[in-house]
């Protein structure tokens, strides 16, 4: 039997988590390590369907297996991150041990030596711990957001946060250090549900993240040390190995839930250099009909080419309704798709700026391609990611809503035009692109961190590390 190490990679079942963990799985598999990725059956079907004609590579080092998420009958519950989180935790406790034992008993591969799970699937790491298997927690969001979660008990103890999760200082600011942007009132990672009872569940998830970090041997993060050393320094043993980009790796297993519409790439080829406004809000954010129409009219008023991703579920259940005559009026300069090959779009020379909800993956991808941002955060960590983009890194501007909570067409027009004229932001974007690129090259911080992780995994097989 070969002595090839074998690891299990377990994403949380949401697009912004599956995609970076699939990229990580590919990066690991490229180092001659056998990887089995465990997705829920529901997510597995989506990934396979999205591959379309890109056939699954049978020679791949990556094997895809599934477990049930426990929500077969209540499909709507999958839209609720709190219910989904609870159910996935139950499913992991119920099935993971059996799955690992089955793999370990089979003769066609090596036993599992390490479980590499999303930090929000702490139950998988607990199962691994109970089986004496090494554990790596993967943090697909920024180190600042993780640092805030880890400091939560201290903030409670110091009376800065009350037990219900609200900051009790007058200005509502939570600050971890002078160098980390402060969290503003209503913009903490746990404050997005309106219901206090749901906020409590979210605080429970934060406690589970703290526990997952505690029991893990490595904390792998999709970030770059030099981009946020103050937050990284607050997290013992963090290994920033980002940016995780599909473009740096082989294979088609990018973990997309929807098929990419590549027609936008040939459309981009026809546009002038740095002329296109790219608009995409990740996989979860939704807009109201009023806000959607205002965005459409804002894009129209720019008189510039734009590429706009409108997911089928972008309007919270209803079909997107464009303003009258909009499609005809912008037909010579607007391209609309349901899902784009985002990394390729951001890397295209025609793209001038990125109107983004500031999900961490989009943030890392735009930064890595040197594209300036217009920030439109929707919930959770996205406010803090915006703070990094606008305050710490100075590679973007933020939209402000009016007194009715609407980002108006005038605000959109004004900010996009201001951004495109701002040479400082552009030059900062290019500098940070270089920082991100260099971190992955030989000797760079992410390169070294990843190498050290791989060498640790390879040591596991020779039994050299008995401390796990
Ligand atoms: O047309 C599109 C639009 C998006 N993407 C990809 O989808 C991913 C989206 O991830 P992200 O930008 O992080 O957004 P969300 O899907 O909203 O991610 C969730 O997960 C992130 C990581 O934890 C959090 O930072 C976010 O707040 C949370 O909403 C990225 O890799 C994009 O490249 C595409 O490939 N095509």
């Amino acid at each position: 039997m070969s002595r090839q190490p074998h690891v299990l990679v377990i994403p949380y079942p949401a697009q912004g988590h599956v995609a970076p963990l699939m990229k990580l799985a590919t990066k690991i598999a490229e180092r001659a390590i056998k990887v089995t990725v465990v997705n829920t059956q529901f997510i597995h079907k989506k990934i396979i369907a999205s591959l379309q004609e890109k056939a699954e590579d049978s020679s791949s080092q990556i094997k895809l297996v599934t477990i049930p998420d426990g929500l077969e009958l209540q499909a709507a519950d999958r839209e609720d991150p709190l219910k989904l989180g609870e159910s996935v935790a139950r499913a992991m406790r119920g099935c993971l041990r059996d799955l690992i034992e089955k793999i370990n008993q089979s003769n066609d591969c090596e036993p599992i030596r390490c479980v590499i799970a999303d930090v929000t699937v702490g139950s998988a790491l607990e199962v691994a711990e109970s089986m004496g298997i090494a554990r790596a927690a993967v943090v697909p969001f920024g180190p600042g957001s993780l640092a805030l979660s880890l400091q939560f008990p201290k903030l409670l103890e110091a009376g800065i946060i009350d037990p219900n999760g609200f900051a009790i200082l007058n200005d509502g600011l939570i600050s971890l250090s002078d160098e980390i942007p402060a969290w503003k009132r209503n913009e903490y990672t746990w404050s997005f549900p309106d219901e206090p009872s749901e906020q409590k569940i979210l605080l429970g998830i934060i406690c589970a993240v703290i526990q997952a970090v505690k029991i893990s041997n490595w904390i792998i993060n999709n970030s770059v040390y030099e981009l946020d050393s103050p937050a990284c320094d607050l997290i013992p043993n963090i290994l920033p190995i980002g940016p995780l980009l599909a473009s740096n790796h082989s294979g088609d297993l990018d973990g997309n839930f929807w098929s990419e519409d590549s027609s936008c790439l040939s459309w981009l080829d026809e546009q002038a250099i740095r002329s296109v406004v790219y608009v995409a809000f990740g996989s979860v954010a939704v807009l109201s009909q009023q806000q959607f129409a205002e965005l459409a009219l804002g894009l129209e008023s720019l008189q510039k080419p734009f590429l706009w991703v409108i997911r089928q579920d972008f309007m919270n259940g209803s079909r997107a309704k464009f303003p009258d005559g909009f499609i005809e009026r912008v037909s010579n300069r607007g391209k609309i798709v349901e899902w784009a090959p985002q990394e390729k779009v951001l890397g295209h020379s025609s793209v001038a700026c990125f109107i983004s909800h500031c999900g961490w993956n989009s943030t890392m991808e735009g930064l890595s391609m040197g594209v300036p941002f217009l920030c439109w955060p929707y919930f959770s960590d996205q406010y803090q990611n915006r703070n990094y983009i606008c305050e710490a890194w100075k590679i973007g501007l933020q939209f402000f809503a009016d007194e009715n909570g609407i980002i108006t067409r005038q605000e959109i027009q004004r900010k996009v035009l201001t951004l495109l004229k701002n040479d400082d932001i552009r030059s900062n974007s290019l500098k940070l692109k270089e920082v991100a690129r260099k971190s992955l090259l030989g000797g760079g911080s992410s390169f070294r961190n990843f190498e050290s992780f791989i060498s640790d995994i390879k040591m596991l097989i020779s039994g050299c590390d008995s401390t796990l």
Side-chain angles (χ1 to χ4, degrees):
M1 194 194 266
S2 79
R3 300 285 294 156
Q4 187 188 30
H6 186 183
V7 302
L8 218 54
V9 170
I10 309 179
Y12 176 82
Q15 177 70 88
H17 295 243
V18 172
L21 270 87
M22 288 297 231
K23 291 171 194 170
L24 176 63
T26 307
K27 202 170 153 79
I28 294 172
E30 282 172 353
R31 301 302 307 277
I33 292 173
K34 174 85 194 159
V35 182
T36 296
V37 178
V38 186
N39 278 306
T40 62
Q41 285 156 356
F42 184 76
I43 296 303
H44 177 79
K45 278 190 203 145
K46 283 189 174 227
I47 295 172
I48 297 303
S50 83
L51 284 174
Q52 285 182 338
E53 74 282 2
K54 304 177 189 170
E56 246 189 281
D57 179 2
S58 55
S59 65
S60 167
Q61 288 277 65
I62 300 181
K63 185 168 181 211
L64 303 178
V65 300
T66 64
I67 57 164
D69 62 12
L71 288 170
E72 270 77 14
L73 298 175
Q74 303 98 340
D77 287 351
R78 293 196 180 91
E79 308 299 321
D80 179 335
L82 305 179
K83 284 192 181 143
L84 181 61
E86 282 177 359
S87 181
V88 167
R90 261 196 315 276
M92 287 296 158
R93 291 195 184 98
C95 318
L96 192 59
R97 176 180 283 270
D98 286 351
L99 178 72
I100 294 175
E101 283 173 352
K102 210 165 121 199
I103 292 173
N104 288 353
Q105 280 156 15
S106 76
N107 283 332
D108 54 351
C109 54
E110 281 288 322
I112 303 294
R113 298 292 182 179
C114 181
V115 168
I116 301 170
D118 194 298
V119 72
T120 56
V121 192
S123 48
L125 296 162
E126 281 167 24
V127 171
E129 185 189 34
S130 72
M131 297 177 78
I133 298 175
R135 303 153 302 280
V138 185
V139 181
F141 43 84
S145 301
L146 179 63
L148 177 65
S149 298
L150 298 183
Q151 294 294 318
F152 197 75
K154 276 196 193 149
L155 295 168
L156 270 180
E157 205 178 282
I160 292 169
I161 296 177
D162 79 19
N164 292 316
F166 303 103
I168 54 178
L169 299 174
N170 287 339
D171 59 6
L173 287 179
I174 299 179
S175 170
L176 296 185
S177 91
D178 291 345
E179 296 156 296
I180 300 175
W183 282 260
K184 302 178 181 79
R185 189 187 292 282
N186 296 333
E187 295 187 354
Y188 320 128
T189 41
W190 57 84
S191 46
F192 72 85
D194 293 333
E195 284 294 315
S197 61
E198 292 188 344
Q199 292 188 352
K200 269 214 148 126
I201 298 179
L202 215 53
L203 292 176
I205 293 176
I206 290 179
C207 295
V209 164
I210 298 173
Q211 179 61 13
V213 165
K214 240 185 228 159
I215 63 169
S216 295
N217 307 103
W218 304 271
I219 316 298
I220 308 286
N221 185 212
N222 179 19
S223 68
V224 178
Y225 178 78
E226 288 78 7
L227 290 176
D228 193 8
S229 54
C232 289
D233 290 343
L234 291 175
I235 305 163
N237 304 327
I238 189 166
L239 285 178
I241 55 135
L244 284 168
L245 299 173
S247 48
N248 287 340
H249 303 288
S250 55
D252 284 325
L253 269 179
D254 41 21
N256 267 317
F257 290 8
W258 296 277
S259 302
E260 293 171 340
D261 184 341
S262 298
S263 68
C264 57
L265 296 177
S266 41
W267 179 85
L268 281 173
D269 289 342
E270 291 160 13
Q271 311 305 316
I273 300 284
R274 282 215 320 274
S275 65
V276 174
V277 178
Y278 174 54
V279 191
F281 290 80
S283 63
V284 185
V286 290
L287 293 189
S288 66
Q289 179 55 49
Q290 188 189 358
Q291 183 60 86
F292 177 80
E294 209 58 28
L295 171 54
L297 295 172
L299 292 174
E300 180 183 351
S301 73
L302 286 167
Q303 298 294 329
K304 289 183 174 299
F306 63 85
L307 169 58
W308 186 3
V309 178
I310 305 180
R311 300 185 325 267
Q312 273 181 8
D313 60 354
F314 190 44
M315 303 297 297
N316 222 353
S318 57
R319 195 91 192 136
K321 190 171 171 317
F322 292 101
D324 285 345
F326 170 81
I327 292 291
E328 295 74 26
R329 291 194 302 273
V330 300
S331 62
N332 63 344
R333 61 180 188 284
K335 172 84 179 160
I336 293 169
V337 295
E338 288 190 0
W339 193 249
Q342 178 159 299
E343 272 188 40
K344 289 186 184 135
V345 167
L346 289 168
H348 197 287
S349 56
S350 296
V351 170
C353 64
F354 182 11
I355 297 184
S356 170
H357 71 310
C358 308
W360 186 251
N361 298 291
S362 294
T363 302
M364 282 292 101
E365 291 160 12
L367 181 149
S368 304
M369 309 297 170
V371 180
F373 286 83
L374 286 139
C375 299
W376 188 320
Y378 170 68
F379 76 168
S380 188
D381 61 329
Q382 295 160 15
Y383 297 107
Q384 182 66 350
N385 302 342
R386 171 209 58 200
N387 294 343
Y388 274 93
I389 291 170
C390 298
E391 296 169 23
W393 301 328
K394 300 188 173 33
I395 56 170
L397 297 175
Q398 76 175 95
F399 290 128
F400 289 104
D402 69 4
E403 62 282 3
N404 301 314
I406 291 293
I407 294 175
T408 62
R409 67 195 85 167
Q410 292 83 2
E411 168 73 355
I412 293 166
Q413 187 194 46
R414 193 167 45 236
K415 281 285 162 57
V416 173
L417 296 179
T418 306
L419 181 84
L420 295 181
K421 279 190 263 166
N422 191 317
D423 291 337
D424 291 339
I425 289 184
R426 182 161 156 68
S427 121
N428 288 338
S429 304
L430 294 176
K431 273 187 210 145
L432 291 198
K433 171 184 177 178
E434 212 35 34
V435 171
R437 196 185 67 85
K438 278 195 177 148
S439 72
L440 293 172
L441 298 178
S445 57
S446 291
F447 175 89
R448 280 184 278 114
N449 288 336
F450 186 66
E451 286 307 303
S452 117
F453 178 53
I454 292 295
S455 104
D456 284 353
I457 292 182
K458 289 190 170 168
M459 289 232 288
L460 290 173
I461 187 108
S462 55
C464 294
D465 199 330
S466 56
T467 61
L468 307 170

